[in-house]
Amino acid sequence: MAVLYYDNYNRTHLLILSFSILFFSFSSRLVNSGFHGERRRERVHGYHYDELNNFSEDQEGGLTLLSGAGYDPEAHPSFLSSINGDRDEEFTEAEPSVLSFKGIEDLRSAKPRSVIFNVDDFGAEGDGIHDDTQVFEEAWEKACSYKGPALFLVPERRTYLIGPIRFLGPCKSNLVIQISGTILASDNRSDYRKDPRHWIVIDSVDNLLVEGGGTIHGNGQIWWRNSCKINKSLPCKEAPTAVTFYKCKNLMVRNVKVQDAQQMQVSFEKCSEVTASDLTVTAPEKSPNTDGIHVTNTQNILITNTFIGTGDDCISIESGSHNVQIEELTCGPGHGISIGSLGDNNSKAFVSFVTVNGAKLSGTTNGVRIKTYQGGSGSASNIKFQNVDMENVKNPIIIDQNYCDQKKPCKKQKSAVQVKDVLYQNIQGNSASDVAIDFDCSENYPCLGVKLQNVRLQRADRVDEEAKAICNHVELTETGVVFPRCPDYHLKHDEL
């Protein structure tokens, strides 16, 4: 018995000792990562740091974060697991594979050292009055050319006034742009003489993460007042897009606010492997052409958990875009979600594999729309609008192959962009107009393979009147509960 008691005693102490080692090891990790213990925060060149983390001055003029600077992939789970979702068998052929963001995952993995290039260290005023454009350019050149993980920092609680600027790559390593403060656009239109279409351009930068919780403010009022859509007596001129991502691969943009752009707010052009998440994009309802997010010539892009309220399309998708995934979108005010316009000026356009899965639209001019000009060619195909709620939306479901955006009536033409394989599934809500479903398709190139499944749309303000559907030149299938229904008009494929 004595021997047995002695063994149990030692075993108990060994367990206590093991637990103590694990506890102090875990506590130490918490302290080193800045989540435990007393902190003393001080300001060093505009960057707030924790005394529990160690910093050292870098020869390149940046500030090296020795611990706590890495991006932990476990702390930021991938959005990719929910991209494909449940697929209808009819729409699975030749569907794109799951997106791959190897460069971003490398960026988010824990790095031992990350050099901080704070714009304040380069002499930025940050008062919203003095022009900090040149300082931003100098800081960017250093960050982009640094041979190691780098962080380009726009500090919090400060406003930086800048004119047109291009952050040009390629850069020598993975890079983080952390916008914690406010970047404010110059409203002097003469600053934009060289390039009237762009304010901030991020060009050819791969493996880039943009985040920080700050604001990009387009200061667009002067452009709106001088728009031909506001003042009919003025000629129509270009205005700058606030932020353009151009030819970027493996790009992640998250937790940033963009507001009051001069024209379009955020544009992804000729990019690939993109995630955009937790964005807030806003402009007044009457601000002209202020599309929230514009996607053109871009492949493999996921837009998720985003709020957009603006004066034009919440999201617009144009030619050359393939595998566009939109999830958990809140939209309104604005013109809804638009594919197009496509085929303008007799051009050839292609958009394929667009999925909207989970969206709430409120008070918008349109809901989910496909719009093409007469005279164009190409196709818009394999498109899904799923799980969409609409509240007081003027045109909830619309395909317009006779789109015309000019004062004079557009010339009638025979050719058209082919619209085919479009699914509307689990869409409900109410319409602010009599017509809740409007398929105005081409006589020569009818819409093919359009499917309505579990669609319920009522009138918003007139409970005594039913919403209507108009269906011209469309091959249509309806399953489940569909309301309103096309009035005894179903064009079968063999009749086209």
Side-chain angles (χ1 to χ4, degrees):
M1 290 294 292
V3 174
L4 180 60
Y5 177 80
Y6 181 78
D7 288 344
N8 286 338
Y9 177 85
N10 284 340
R11 191 177 294 115
T12 301
H13 274 262
L14 284 172
L15 287 172
I16 293 172
L17 179 61
S18 298
F19 176 78
S20 299
I21 292 171
L22 287 171
F23 175 78
F24 285 110
S25 175
F26 180 66
S27 299
S28 176
R29 291 180 62 188
L30 287 177
V31 168
N32 288 334
S33 62
F35 289 103
H36 184 76
E38 294 295 322
R39 300 180 179 183
R40 180 171 60 87
R41 295 172 61 86
E42 295 183 2
R43 184 176 179 83
V44 176
H45 300 301
Y47 185 81
H48 290 85
Y49 79 104
D50 196 314
E51 71 169 353
L52 298 176
N53 292 323
N54 298 315
F55 293 84
S56 66
E57 199 70 30
D58 187 86
Q59 293 179 355
E60 298 287 340
L63 196 63
T64 302
L65 179 59
L66 299 181
S67 65
Y71 283 84
D72 183 4
E74 296 298 325
H76 306 284
S78 172
F79 296 108
L80 305 180
S81 59
S82 60
I83 284 179
N84 283 336
D86 296 330
R87 302 290 190 182
D88 269 22
E89 294 181 359
E90 300 173 8
F91 290 82
T92 56
E93 290 188 4
E95 208 156 349
S97 59
V98 175
L99 308 187
S100 173
F101 294 88
K102 184 178 184 302
I104 289 294
E105 292 305 322
D106 289 344
L107 176 65
R108 293 162 64 191
S109 63
K111 299 285 186 181
R113 300 173 67 89
S114 184
V115 173
I116 299 174
F117 294 86
N118 185 337
V119 295
D120 286 355
D121 293 339
F122 291 81
E125 297 285 348
D127 58 4
I129 299 173
H130 294 88
D131 189 344
D132 288 322
T133 307
Q134 185 176 347
V135 171
F136 271 59
E137 291 172 344
E138 292 172 359
W140 173 258
E141 184 179 352
K142 288 287 188 179
C144 184
S145 61
Y146 183 76
K147 296 180 180 179
L151 187 148
F152 180 92
L153 176 64
V154 180
E156 61 184 344
R157 294 191 292 273
R158 307 194 75 188
T159 298
Y160 299 87
L161 178 69
I162 64 172
I165 191 168
R166 183 176 295 265
F167 297 114
L168 182 63
C171 296
K172 292 187 177 180
S173 70
N174 297 340
L175 189 65
V176 177
I177 297 177
Q178 182 172 320
I179 303 171
S180 298
T182 296
I183 300 176
L184 179 67
S186 165
D187 64 356
N188 185 350
R189 292 194 295 163
S190 64
D191 290 345
Y192 301 80
R193 281 193 299 260
K194 291 183 179 179
D195 184 0
R197 297 183 58 189
H198 301 99
W199 172 35
I200 297 173
V201 178
I202 299 175
D203 184 348
S204 304
V205 183
D206 295 343
N207 305 322
L208 174 67
L209 171 61
V210 181
E211 63 175 2
T215 299
I216 299 173
H217 196 302
N219 208 8
Q221 292 84 352
I222 188 69
W223 279 270
W224 306 338
R225 289 198 298 269
N226 287 276
S227 169
C228 64
K229 291 195 173 184
I230 300 298
N231 188 340
K232 306 296 183 182
S233 65
L234 295 174
C236 293
K237 294 182 179 181
E238 294 286 351
T241 295
V243 185
T244 301
F245 294 94
Y246 181 73
K247 289 187 176 179
C248 296
K249 183 177 181 180
N250 290 324
L251 169 67
M252 181 177 288
V253 185
R254 65 186 182 191
N255 189 26
V256 175
K257 182 178 181 180
V258 182
Q259 73 178 76
D260 294 352
Q262 304 92 326
Q263 192 161 298
M264 287 185 181
Q265 310 252 27
V266 181
S267 180
F268 296 98
E269 182 174 350
K270 295 186 178 180
C271 295
S272 63
E273 317 302 326
V274 179
T275 59
S277 65
D278 300 289
L279 304 183
T280 301
V281 184
T282 59
E285 185 175 4
K286 294 185 179 180
S287 57
N289 297 323
T290 51
D291 294 41
I293 296 178
H294 183 69
V295 180
T296 182
N297 280 299
T298 290
Q299 295 79 46
N300 302 331
I301 177 171
L302 169 64
I303 301 168
T304 182
N305 196 31
T306 290
F307 172 82
I308 303 175
T310 184
D312 210 298
D313 296 330
C314 288
I315 296 179
S316 56
I317 302 165
E318 291 204 355
S319 183
S321 298
H322 172 81
N323 193 19
V324 179
Q325 313 285 338
I326 301 168
E327 299 177 355
E328 304 308 320
L329 171 71
T330 301
C331 167
H335 294 179
I337 303 168
S338 289
I339 297 175
S341 51
L342 305 175
D344 54 322
N345 299 317
N346 299 331
S347 63
K348 183 177 289 187
F350 293 94
V351 171
S352 59
F353 290 104
V354 176
T355 298
V356 177
N357 189 356
K360 296 180 179 179
L361 294 91
S362 178
T364 54
T365 304
N366 303 289
V368 290
R369 174 171 60 162
I370 302 172
K371 54 179 180 176
T372 69
Y373 286 93
Q374 295 184 68
S377 60
S379 65
S381 63
N382 292 289
I383 298 165
K384 294 182 180 180
F385 300 107
Q386 299 172 296
N387 305 311
V388 180
D389 293 332
M390 303 200 189
E391 177 67 29
N392 199 34
V393 173
K394 190 173 181 181
N395 301 296
I397 294 176
I398 181 170
I399 298 177
D400 185 1
Q401 283 187 288
N402 299 295
Y403 181 70
C404 182
D405 186 21
Q406 63 184 41
K407 294 179 181 179
K408 297 180 180 179
C410 293
K411 181 181 177 181
K412 188 172 183 178
Q413 302 183 57
K414 291 184 178 180
S415 63
V417 176
Q418 179 72 73
V419 177
K420 60 182 179 180
D421 297 334
V422 184
L423 171 66
Y424 301 89
Q425 183 183 57
N426 300 333
I427 297 178
Q428 62 181 359
N430 51 63
S431 172
S433 64
D434 293 338
V435 180
I437 298 174
D438 189 355
F439 296 135
D440 185 14
C441 299
S442 167
E443 184 175 355
N444 296 306
Y445 290 86
C447 300
L448 304 177
V450 177
K451 181 177 180 179
L452 295 170
Q453 181 177 14
N454 298 329
V455 175
R456 304 181 186 184
L457 295 167
Q458 307 286 343
R459 280 301 308 269
D461 54 349
R462 301 180 185 176
V463 294
D464 56 328
E465 294 184 17
E466 294 184 345
K468 299 175 183 178
I470 297 175
C471 307
N472 293 323
H473 310 296
V474 56
E475 175 196 288
L476 181 66
T477 302
E478 296 176 347
T479 60
V481 176
V482 175
F483 185 85
R485 304 189 68 175
C486 290
D488 301 323
Y489 181 71
H490 296 273
L491 219 61
K492 295 181 180 179
H493 187 68
D494 58 4
E495 295 174 348
L496 299 176

